[in-house]
């Protein structure tokens, strides 16, 4: 895992992840995580882990909560019902990957209401 920060683009950030190394890590660790169901082999989780790393690489600059609905839609489009884990399991895997990569799960913005009672974001 590592980051590349091109000097000419001050706000540009590119993430590089060795997905094969990450999968080796998860092959040893998956049985200790909440998403694991006893008796379920690693091969059942591997496609979702790959999906989670791909999602992280595409959305690493965003907190998981902000892209969760988008990722749920993409997940349903990507997996057929035969290979799909239930969304709560896939969502737990996404959270684990976001945490492992040091990415935020929730927005750092403070939510407030304006005078009309509508929610607005304050940085």
């Amino acid at each position: 895992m590592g980051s590349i920060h091109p000097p000419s683009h001050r706000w540009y950030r590119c993430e590089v992840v060795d997905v094969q190394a990450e999968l080796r890590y998860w092959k040893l660790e998956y049985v200790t995580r909440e998403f694991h169901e006893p008796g379920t082999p690693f091969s059942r989780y591997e496609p979702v882990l790959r999906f989670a790393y791909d999602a992280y690489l595409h959305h690493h600059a965003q907190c998981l909560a902000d892209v969760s609905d988008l990722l749920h839609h993409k997940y349903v489009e990507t997996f057929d019902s035969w290979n799909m884990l239930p969304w709560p399991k896939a969502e737990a895997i996404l959270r684990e990957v976001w945490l492992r990569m040091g990415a935020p799960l929730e927005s750092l913005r403070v939510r407030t209401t304006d005078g009309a009672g509508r929610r607005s974001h304050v940085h």
Side-chain angles (χ1 to χ4, degrees):
M1 180 180 77
S3 296
I4 300 172
H5 303 279
S8 63
H9 297 91
R10 185 175 153 180
W11 299 109
Y12 177 79
R13 183 173 166 201
C14 176
E15 286 289 313
V16 178
V17 176
D18 182 344
V19 176
Q20 293 304 319
E22 290 298 312
L23 291 174
R24 286 190 299 273
Y25 166 83
W26 285 110
K27 193 168 189 173
L28 297 173
E29 293 292 320
Y30 80 104
V31 295
T32 66
R33 304 307 167 113
E34 272 187 41
F35 64 80
H36 178 255
E37 290 185 31
T40 304
F42 177 75
S43 61
R44 184 78 171 109
Y45 299 108
E46 187 174 355
V48 181
L49 283 160
R50 288 180 183 278
F51 173 86
Y53 279 101
D54 186 56
Y56 169 76
L57 288 168
H58 281 93
H59 302 285
H60 66 270
Q62 298 168 281
C63 69
L64 182 58
D66 288 351
V67 294
S68 183
D69 289 341
L70 173 70
L71 294 178
H72 183 202
H73 180 73
K74 180 79 172 164
Y75 181 73
V76 171
E77 286 181 341
T78 302
F79 292 92
D80 61 31
S81 60
W82 184 258
N83 294 312
M84 181 184 291
L85 292 175
W87 175 243
K89 294 278 184 201
E91 194 172 34
I93 291 171
L94 283 162
R95 276 193 309 275
E96 291 282 353
V97 166
W98 244 252
L99 285 170
R100 179 153 168 79
M101 295 293 101
L105 297 178
E106 300 292 329
S107 177
L108 299 176
R109 291 178 263 169
V110 176
R111 293 183 182 262
T112 61
T113 57
D114 62 13
R118 294 182 302 253
R119 294 193 87 137
S120 60
H121 296 289
V122 178
H123 298 278

